[in-house]
Each structure stands twice: as C-alpha cells, then as structure tokens.
Amino acid sequence: MLEVVEGGLLTTVQDIGRNGYLRFGVPESGAMDKFAFRAANILVGNTQDAACIEMVIIGPSLKILDNVTISLTGADLTPKINGSSIPLWESIDVLAESILEFGTATNGARCYLAVKGGIDVPVVLGSRSTYLRGGFGGFVGRALKTGDRINILSDDTQSVSRRLPEEQVPVYKRNHIIKVIMGPQDDYFTEGGIRSFLGGEYCIKDQSDSMGYRLSGPQIEHKSSADIISDGVPLGAIQVPGDG
C-alpha cells in the first residue's frame, strides 16, 4: 500500500488506455508517454499494461507502507527516498515506511511510478485509467491528494534487478523539430500560411491536456473558411481554428 503525503501538481493512476468507447464520447485516457509507461512496468516485471502512477511537472510525496520494488521513468522529477536521490530507468527495492518524494521536473513533463504487481484500482470500461473530465476510473475518478491510500496488487514472483540501457533512454528537451505530413485539407490554406506553419516556432500553452495541446505562434492563413467536414482525427493530428 502507498499513502499520499502530498498530491503534487497532477498525480493520477493510468494504464495503457481505455479503448472501444469513443463512439459513446469516452476518450482513451491512459498514460501520455506510453514508451516511458511500458518501460516502467517492464523494469519491475509487470505486464506492460499494468496500472502506474503518472506525475506531471511537480511530483507528490508518498509513504511506502510495505516492502516493494519500484521503477521511475520519463521526466526527471528529482526523486528521493528518505532524502537520498535515486536513479530513473531501473528497478529499485524500497523498504516499508520509506518516504518517496519528488520535486519539480528538470526535463520532460510526465514521470511514471511502477510498483511490482501494479496499482490496484477498479477496472471501469476495461481500464484502470483516470478520466478526469468524466470523473471515473483510476482512484475514485480524480487526482490523488493528501491522505489517499493506494493498494498494490499482490505479486509473489521473485524481483530481478533491471536497468534500461542508456542508449534507449529518451532525451527530453524544451525545443523540438517536429516532422509533419500535409493532410487532406492543406488546400484550405494560402501558400504564405503553409510557409508560416512549416517555418514557424510554436509554444505549448497552458490550455493543454492529454486530449490535445493548444499552441501559440505565427498565424496560419486560411484561403477563406476554416470549416471542414468532420472526419477521423488520428493521433498527432494538427487542427487550425478560424483565427489561424
């Protein structure tokens, strides 16, 4: 069991995602950084889809109430156990009554805590993921806060020390060059608008979540209207509103 001492900025239980319910207006949810999420589970010997704790930018403080094996992957939130720094991207044995605490991200945004056995919360619509806007899944449908106690599923298999090879550890930066493929509505934009888009620098705004990032930057000029016929939106799709 884990006890939440401080909840952090946004700390939720997530798994690989909730599939098959989009037609009912229920999004996938799940871990944002799926590579880091899967790696965290592999490092402690879980199945790749076991529920983990996702922390965003400012991490929580947790009391470990039993002897457990954990791993931390993704953003570096300067984790410490009982005041001593611990590494990311490897399995760590933690003794009962230890305090696991985090600071502010030095790179990246989302960090994942996997515990051997997996986080034990109810399965809702085939997933343990938290859907915050819907208020269900995860730990009673919300972010973790002080006083919450989180159960861990039992796992009697022997722990094995594991570490992700350094060359496979992602590099999280503040600035990225993004490759794009022009979509079926590229003829809605002027040549100048396309040039602005491909050559511009855009920043992620505060009005962003796991459903999508809102960006600020050079205006992308439409030829006329921004209205299009609704179609499927794949992962990574870029949408340009009427104001460009």
Side-chain angles (χ1 to χ4, degrees):
M1 183 179 287
L2 309 177
E3 181 177 343
V4 181
V5 180
E6 295 286 344
L9 178 63
L10 182 62
T11 306
T12 58
V13 177
Q14 302 291 351
D15 61 13
I16 203 64
R18 181 174 286 109
N19 296 311
Y21 296 94
L22 280 172
R23 64 188 183 276
F24 303 117
V26 179
E28 179 181 317
S29 302
M32 186 75 169
D33 183 347
K34 286 187 168 51
F35 177 84
F37 168 83
R38 291 177 185 272
N41 275 316
I42 291 171
L43 289 169
V44 296
N46 290 344
T47 60
Q48 293 186 33
D49 59 351
C52 296
I53 293 177
E54 181 183 79
M55 301 159 278
V56 181
I57 300 178
I58 301 174
S61 177
L62 306 171
K63 185 175 183 179
I64 311 296
L65 302 181
D66 298 288
N67 296 339
V68 294
T69 300
I70 68 168
S71 68
L72 296 165
T73 61
D76 186 353
L77 268 58
T78 58
K80 296 180 180 180
I81 291 179
N82 299 329
S84 298
S85 297
I86 56 173
L88 279 73
W89 304 99
E90 65 179 72
S91 59
I92 301 169
D93 293 328
V94 183
L95 296 177
E97 302 302 313
S98 296
I99 299 295
L100 173 60
E101 57 186 348
F102 300 84
T104 302
T106 60
N107 60 52
R110 290 170 175 81
C111 179
Y112 294 88
L113 166 63
V115 183
K116 185 173 177 60
I119 305 298
D120 184 13
V121 293
V123 176
V124 180
L125 298 178
S127 172
R128 301 182 195 270
S129 287
T130 309
Y131 175 31
L132 291 174
R133 290 186 181 180
F136 62 83
F139 186 85
V140 298
R142 61 166 171 78
L144 302 183
K145 62 182 182 181
T146 301
D148 290 342
R149 287 194 167 199
I150 312 298
N151 290 321
I152 308 301
L153 292 166
S154 62
D155 186 338
D156 296 329
T157 61
Q158 184 175 358
S159 296
V160 178
S161 179
R162 298 177 178 179
R163 177 184 301 165
L164 191 72
E166 186 174 350
E167 62 272 16
Q168 294 183 22
V169 174
V171 177
Y172 298 97
K173 302 183 293 183
R174 293 188 61 85
N175 299 290
H176 296 265
I177 295 175
I178 305 298
K179 295 181 180 180
V180 298
I181 299 171
M182 303 307 291
Q185 287 90 22
D186 59 351
D187 58 331
Y188 276 55
F189 303 94
T190 65
E191 291 185 7
I194 297 293
R195 285 196 300 270
S196 295
F197 168 57
L198 295 178
E201 182 174 283
Y202 294 86
C203 295
I204 298 174
K205 299 177 69 174
D206 291 340
Q207 297 93 333
S208 301
D209 58 23
S210 59
M211 287 289 291
Y213 289 152
R214 184 174 292 276
L215 306 179
S216 63
Q219 183 177 355
I220 304 169
E221 184 182 36
H222 290 87
K223 288 181 179 178
S224 57
S225 171
D227 293 330
I228 62 172
I229 297 173
S230 295
D231 54 17
V233 181
L235 183 66
I238 299 170
Q239 299 171 304
V240 184
D243 62 4

